Structures are given as structure tokens and as C-alpha cells.
């Protein structure tokens, strides 16, 4: 694996084709979603009982980087070396790191937010109770605290495992293909540039109201900030684990645990600043950890034996 800083070694044609395929597929899906009712529960288009926008995002948008990986290899005749799919036993500790660290940082970020803005913290889970039917005077199928306990147990376990299916669609592109192609720029520059590209790739969904419905334009910038700091962590475990699987797991852990803190939220805090990991304050611990990784020498050096 190249780790130097001579950008003349970067295969820019393949990088360009990969980005073209990934963005072309996903942004086309974004246009289709916009033309068929947009994002949200009010969207009129339904496919097999599920909102069409959700079907398109999960099956097409999220898998466009993986599809771009395959298409780029086919078009350029690159072949199938360096897929980064082979798990290595001696690097399995990085799978554990990817599984455990994101939830810790996410919950710490939510704690920071609620300490700074206690008016948004709801230990009674009243919003959950309303969702379950309290306001309609109906009998609860399950108590809010029981639901929170189930969610807290499921998020870092079964939900993370299930989310790996979807996050593979992204990571097989971003961390298994784009990141290695950019490594001749140097580990840090490759990590940061791939994070920016990953964030811009989200923009059609953000503009349509996903993640930051009240501030889609500022949300587009906030998403790039988030993908850069998250990309530092995911790139780190990819290189140290010598495989794409730690990134798949780490990304899944972020997605699976992102909603737990919202169970304890009231008064509708800003999504831009809020306790979720995509909020600027909620992501602070992850950002601090990313900065620490960036300033540590040789932290992005790959193992001597590489899948890439």
C-alpha cells in the first residue's frame, strides 16, 4: 500500500470514474425521490407497503459506492485484487474497537449536550409515551422505560449486526476503494479528502430534509463536518485492521446507536447542534478523538501485510 505524498502516484482516472459512478447513481436516485414525493411519512409513493423514498435510499443510494467499486474495476480492467474483504485473525481486535468505541463516543456526546442544555433532557421519556399512545388515553403496549431498556440493549448488539448489511454498501466503496486510491497523497490527506467526498455525496438527501430538516443548507455543511470526523475513525480502523470489515462495523455501530439519545429528548432541540451524532455538539467527542488520531504520528500507517 502506498503511503507517500506524491500525488502523481494517485490513479486519478480511476478515482474520477469511481466518484462519477457513485455520485451519478445516488444523485439520480435523489432526483427520483424528489420527483415522487420527497422524504418523510407524508410521501405518497408506496412500494410493497413501504415508502418509495426509503426503498430507494436503502437499496440504491446506500449501495451506490459499492456498485461504483465494481463498475470502476470493470470499466478500467483493474481486476479484483485489493478488495479488502479478507478478514485477518491477528487484526480482529480492530473489529472490537470499531464495535465498542462509537457507542461510547455517541453517548458521551449526548451527555455533553444535555449538560449544556438540560431543558432538552427528559428522564421521564414523555415523548416516547406520547408516541406509544399516552396522549390518546390508550393502554400502553409497553412502558417507555422498558422500551428504552430494550433499545439500549439492542442498539449495540443485534441492531449493529443488522446495520452491517446496509453500511457495507457504503464502506465497500469509500474505505475499500476510494481511500486506498488516495493513499499516495499521504494517510491524513487521503482520510480527510475521502471524508469530504463522502459528505458531499449525502447532499441530495440533506437538501430533501434528511438529518437536518429545519436547516438543509447549513445541514449540508454539517454533514461534511460529520463525515470528515467519522471518516477519520473509520479510515483508521480500516488501515489498522487491514480490511474493510472494521469500517463496516464501525459505521453500523454509529447508525444503530444514533437514535438512543433521542428517546430522552424533549422540546425539539436543533438537529444541527443537537444530541445526535450528526449534531455539532453531539459529535464533539468523536471530533476530539478524530483530532487526536490526526496528530498522532504514524497512526495511519498500514500494517506491513496489506489487503489493498
Amino acid at each position: 500500500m502506498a503511503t507517500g505524498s506524491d500525488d502523481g502516484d494517485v490513479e486519478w482516472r480511476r478515482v474520477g470514474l469511481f466518484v462519477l459512478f457513485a455520485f451519478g447513481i445516488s444523485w439520480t436516485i435523489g432526483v427520483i425521490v424528489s420527483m415522487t414525493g420527497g422524504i418523510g411519512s407524508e410521501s405518497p409513493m408506496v412500494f410493497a407497503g413501504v415508502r418509495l423514498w426509503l426503498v430507494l435510499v436503502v437499496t440504491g443510494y446506500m449501495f451506490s459506492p459499492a456498485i461504483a467499486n465494481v463498475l470502476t474495476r470493470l470499466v478500467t480492467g483493474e481486476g479484483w485484487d485489493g478488495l479488502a474483504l479478507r478478514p485477518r485473525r491477528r487484526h480482529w481486535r480492530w473489529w472490537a474497537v470499531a464495535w465498542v468505541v462509537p457507542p461510547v463516543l455517541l453517548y458521551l456526546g449526548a451527555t455533553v449536550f444535555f449538560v449544556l442544555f438540560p431543558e432538552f433532557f427528559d428522564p421521564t421519556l414523555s415523548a416516547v409515551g406520547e408516541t406509544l399512545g399516552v396522549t390518546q388515553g390508550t393502554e400502553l403496549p409497553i412502558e417507555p422505560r422498558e422500551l428504552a431498556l430494550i433499545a439500549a440493549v439492542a442498539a449495540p448488539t443485534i441492531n449493529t449486526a443488522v446495520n452491517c448489511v446496509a453500511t457495507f454498501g457504503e464502506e465497500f466503496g469509500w474505505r475499500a476503494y476510494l481511500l486506498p486510491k488516495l493513499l499516495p497523497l499521504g494517510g491524513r490527506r487521503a482520510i480527510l479528502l475521502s471524508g469530504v467526498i463522502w459528505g458531499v455525496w449525502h447532499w441530495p438527501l440533506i437538501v430533501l430534509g434528511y438529518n437536518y430538516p429545519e436547516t438543509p443548507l447549513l445541514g449540508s455543511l454539517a454533514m461534511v463536518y460529520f463525515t470528515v470526523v467519522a471518516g477519520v475513525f473509520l479510515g483508521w480502523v480500516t488501515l489498522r485492521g487491514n480490511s474493510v470489515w472494521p469500517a463496516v462495523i464501525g459505521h453500523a455501530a454509529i447508525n444503530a446507536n444514533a437514535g438512543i439519545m433521542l428517546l430522552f429528548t424533549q422540546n425539539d432541540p436543533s438537529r444541527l447542534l443537537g444530541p445526535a451524532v450528526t449534531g455539532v455538539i453531539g459529535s464533539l467527542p468523536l471530533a476530539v478523538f478524530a483530532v487526536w488520531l490526526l496528530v498522532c504520528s504514524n497512526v495511519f500507517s498500514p500494517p506491513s501485510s496489506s489487503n489493498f
Side-chain angles (χ1 to χ4, degrees):
M1 180 188 296
T3 58
S5 58
D6 183 2
D7 61 3
D9 294 331
V10 177
E11 300 175 278
W12 289 113
R13 175 172 175 266
R14 285 173 174 161
V15 169
L17 280 174
F18 169 81
V19 171
L20 179 64
F21 285 133
F23 277 61
I25 295 169
S26 59
W27 285 30
T28 298
I29 290 174
V31 171
I32 294 172
V33 169
S34 177
M35 295 176 63
T36 55
I39 285 176
S41 58
E42 299 81 11
S43 178
M45 302 296 291
V46 178
F47 177 80
V50 181
R51 299 290 175 184
L52 178 63
W53 73 267
L54 185 59
V55 174
L56 290 174
V57 168
V58 171
T59 60
Y61 206 108
M62 292 187 68
F63 275 84
S64 63
I67 297 170
N69 184 344
V70 174
L71 289 178
T72 304
R73 291 175 181 274
L74 289 174
V75 170
T76 64
E78 181 176 352
W80 305 105
D81 292 333
L83 290 176
L85 292 176
R86 181 186 301 174
R88 304 204 180 227
R89 291 184 180 179
R90 63 183 179 182
H91 295 136
W92 282 7
R93 65 182 179 274
W94 295 103
W95 296 35
V97 169
W99 201 303
V100 172
V101 171
V104 173
L105 297 177
L106 266 61
Y107 298 147
L108 180 59
T111 301
V112 170
F113 178 84
F114 289 132
V115 168
L116 294 175
F117 302 99
E119 66 272 19
F120 293 114
F121 182 60
D122 179 20
T124 66
L125 286 81
S126 61
V128 179
E130 291 178 6
T131 302
L132 292 173
V134 170
T135 55
Q136 289 76 29
T138 58
E139 183 177 353
L140 289 176
I142 185 174
E143 291 297 324
R145 292 184 186 277
E146 294 176 355
L147 177 63
L149 178 60
I150 293 172
V153 172
T157 55
I158 184 65
N159 288 0
T160 296
V162 171
N163 266 276
C164 286
V165 176
T167 58
F168 175 81
E170 291 193 50
E171 295 306 323
F172 188 55
W174 305 130
R175 252 58 65 175
Y177 191 85
L178 179 62
L179 176 58
K181 286 290 184 288
L182 295 176
L183 280 176
L185 297 173
R188 291 173 181 80
R189 292 174 66 187
I191 290 279
L192 294 174
L193 179 56
S194 61
V196 170
I197 293 171
W198 180 28
V200 174
W201 172 82
H202 284 86
W203 279 2
L205 295 181
I206 305 303
V207 170
L208 287 171
Y210 197 68
N211 286 116
Y212 310 95
E214 71 276 11
T215 54
L217 296 182
L218 283 177
S220 297
L221 298 179
M223 177 54 69
V224 173
Y225 153 77
F226 166 71
T227 55
V228 168
V229 298
V232 171
F233 174 79
L234 297 176
W236 174 56
V237 294
T238 298
L239 295 178
R240 303 316 300 156
N242 201 16
S243 167
V244 72
W245 295 113
V248 171
I249 293 169
H251 193 163
I254 292 172
N255 288 359
N257 290 275
I260 299 297
M261 61 287 299
L262 299 180
L263 298 176
F264 298 88
T265 304
Q266 63 182 355
N267 300 331
D268 196 22
S270 165
R271 297 285 186 90
L272 192 66
L273 299 175
V277 70
T278 50
V280 173
I281 296 176
S283 62
L284 273 179
L286 180 61
V288 170
F289 189 65
V291 171
W292 178 79
L293 289 174
L294 287 171
V295 299
C296 286
S297 61
N298 300 322
V299 76
F300 293 113
S301 298
S304 57
S305 177
S306 175
N307 281 320
F308 298 111

